[in-house]
Amino acid sequence: MTGLALSPGGEKEHWTQSELDEVPTAELFQLYKQTGDQNLKWPLVMRYMGLVKSIALQVRGVYSSFAQVDDIVNEGLLTLAVAVDKFDPDKGIKFETYVSKRIRGAVIDLARRQDWVPRSVRRKARDIDQASSELFSELGRYPTDQEMASRLGVTQGQYQEDLANSSMCNVLSLDALFEDREQTGRSELPDDTADSRPEDSMLRQELLETLTKAIESLRENEQTVISLYYQKNLSMKEIAQVMEVSEPRISQLHSRAIQKLKLFMNQYMTGGK
C-alpha cells in the first residue's frame, strides 16, 4: 500500500496531508476500512466533494425554493460520511454508484420534510398523474394536452399552467417510482464491473436500453430540456434563454417530459401491466 502503514505494534501512525495526498483513493478507502481511523475518514470524504456538488446541481430544482446549493452540499457531505462507513466494497458495487443514490435520496427526503409544495399544487399534480396514466392505458400512447385537459375538465391553457406548476412534483414522483420498484429488485441498476454476475449485466443493459427508448420517445424540445437540465446542469431560467421561450414554458416541457418518462418506465417495471 502506497505511503501509509501501521506501526509495528498495530497502532496507527500519524500521517501528514502530503502523505495522504499521494495515496490513491481505492487504497485510502481500503486502509480506512481496515483500521477505522477517523483521521482518514474526512480526507477520504473530501475526495468526493466534486461528486456531491454535481448531484446538488443536478437536483437543484427540488430544493431551490428553500435552500442554497452550499446547504445541500453540506447535507451531501454528511450523507457521504455515513455512506463511507456503511459501504461494503466486497459486494462489487462502485462507491460512486452507491453514494450517488443516497445523496440524491437525502435531497428528496429534505424536500419532502420541508413540504414546500402547496397542497393545491400537489393535488393537481396527483390528478394529472392519474389522468395521464389512465389515458396512456386507454390510448396506448401519450395523451395530447387537449385530451388531458378534457379528462381533467379544465381548459387547455389551465392544464398547461397546472402542468408547469407541478414540474418538481413530477421529479419527486419519478424518484418515488424507482424507490417503490426497487423493493422488488427489478429497477436496481447493477454495477457494471468484472465481478458482476451475467444476469446483473443483462439487467443493466435492459434497463439502459429501456431508458434510452423512453428518452427517444420524447419530442425534440422535451429531449432538449432534459439534456440541458440533467446533463448540462442549466437552470430553468438559463434553458429558457437558450431556447428563447418563457421560463414557465420550460417548466411545462420539463414536467411533460418527466411525466412521459414515468409512464414509460412504470410500464416497463410492472411488466406492461
Side-chain angles (χ1 to χ4, degrees):
M1 190 168 293
T2 307
L4 303 185
L6 299 179
S7 65
E11 298 177 353
K12 293 177 284 294
E13 295 177 341
H14 174 71
W15 298 303
T16 65
Q17 186 60 51
S18 60
E19 288 176 327
L20 291 173
D21 290 343
E22 294 177 359
V23 181
T25 300
E27 292 187 8
L28 188 60
F29 211 126
Q30 184 180 358
L31 186 61
Y32 175 66
K33 283 296 183 179
Q34 290 175 346
T35 66
D37 186 354
Q38 295 300 301
N39 292 320
L40 299 179
K41 182 174 183 177
W42 279 103
L44 179 60
V45 167
M46 295 308 292
R47 292 194 180 190
Y48 292 96
M49 171 70 85
L51 176 63
V52 174
K53 287 183 176 179
S54 176
I55 297 171
L57 287 171
Q58 187 180 50
V59 297
R60 67 194 178 286
V62 174
Y63 61 79
S64 59
S65 64
F66 62 83
Q68 301 297 316
V69 172
D70 288 345
D71 299 325
I72 300 303
V73 168
N74 289 335
E75 286 284 333
L77 286 175
L78 293 175
T79 300
L80 182 57
V82 173
V84 164
D85 288 325
K86 292 185 176 182
F87 178 66
D88 183 359
D90 294 332
K91 290 187 176 181
I93 301 175
K94 291 180 181 178
F95 180 70
E96 290 84 349
T97 302
Y98 173 85
V99 76
S100 294
K101 178 179 171 182
R102 279 149 187 78
I103 293 173
R104 179 180 170 83
V107 174
I108 297 297
D109 288 343
L110 179 63
R112 287 171 176 159
R113 290 198 301 272
Q114 291 292 329
D115 196 28
W116 90 103
V117 180
R119 290 184 179 179
S120 59
V121 173
R122 289 203 304 272
R123 183 177 64 252
K124 289 179 180 179
R126 286 195 297 269
D127 291 343
I128 290 173
D129 188 60
Q130 181 177 348
S132 63
S133 181
E134 291 174 352
L135 286 170
F136 186 71
S137 297
E138 294 171 12
L139 302 172
R141 59 170 172 78
Y142 299 128
T144 64
D145 285 2
Q146 185 174 356
E147 289 167 339
M148 284 291 295
S150 178
R151 176 59 62 93
L152 292 166
V154 299
T155 64
Q156 189 167 326
Q158 183 62 56
Y159 164 67
Q160 291 173 342
E161 181 180 341
D162 293 341
L163 185 67
N165 291 335
S166 67
S167 181
M168 285 306 108
C169 287
N170 275 324
V171 172
L172 295 182
S173 61
L174 181 65
D175 186 84
L177 171 68
F178 279 89
E179 286 181 357
D180 292 343
R181 295 299 181 271
E182 210 168 76
Q183 302 303 317
T184 67
R186 175 139 193 209
S187 70
E188 182 69 32
L189 186 59
D191 187 45
D192 191 15
T193 65
D195 295 330
S196 296
R197 295 174 300 174
E199 57 267 34
D200 286 343
S201 296
M202 291 179 62
L203 179 58
R204 177 186 177 86
Q205 185 62 34
E206 180 185 353
L207 184 53
L208 289 175
E209 289 176 357
T210 303
L211 283 169
T212 299
K213 290 179 182 177
I215 293 173
E216 290 176 347
S217 72
L218 301 176
R219 295 177 181 174
E220 184 177 353
N221 56 359
E222 293 167 348
Q223 291 186 39
T224 300
V225 170
I226 292 298
S227 175
L228 293 176
Y229 186 78
Y230 292 100
Q231 294 183 328
K232 302 301 183 182
N233 290 324
L234 297 186
S235 66
M236 295 290 185
K237 182 177 181 180
E238 291 168 335
I239 297 173
Q241 293 172 346
V242 170
M243 298 182 68
E244 298 182 340
V245 297
S246 68
E247 190 172 344
R249 174 58 177 164
I250 295 301
S251 293
Q252 181 190 122
L253 289 170
H254 175 265
S255 186
R256 184 188 289 120
I258 293 296
Q259 184 67 247
K260 289 180 178 180
L261 290 176
K262 190 174 69 164
L263 287 170
F264 198 106
M265 295 309 298
N266 184 59
Q267 184 180 52
Y268 161 73
M269 293 175 183
T270 57
K273 297 178 181 179

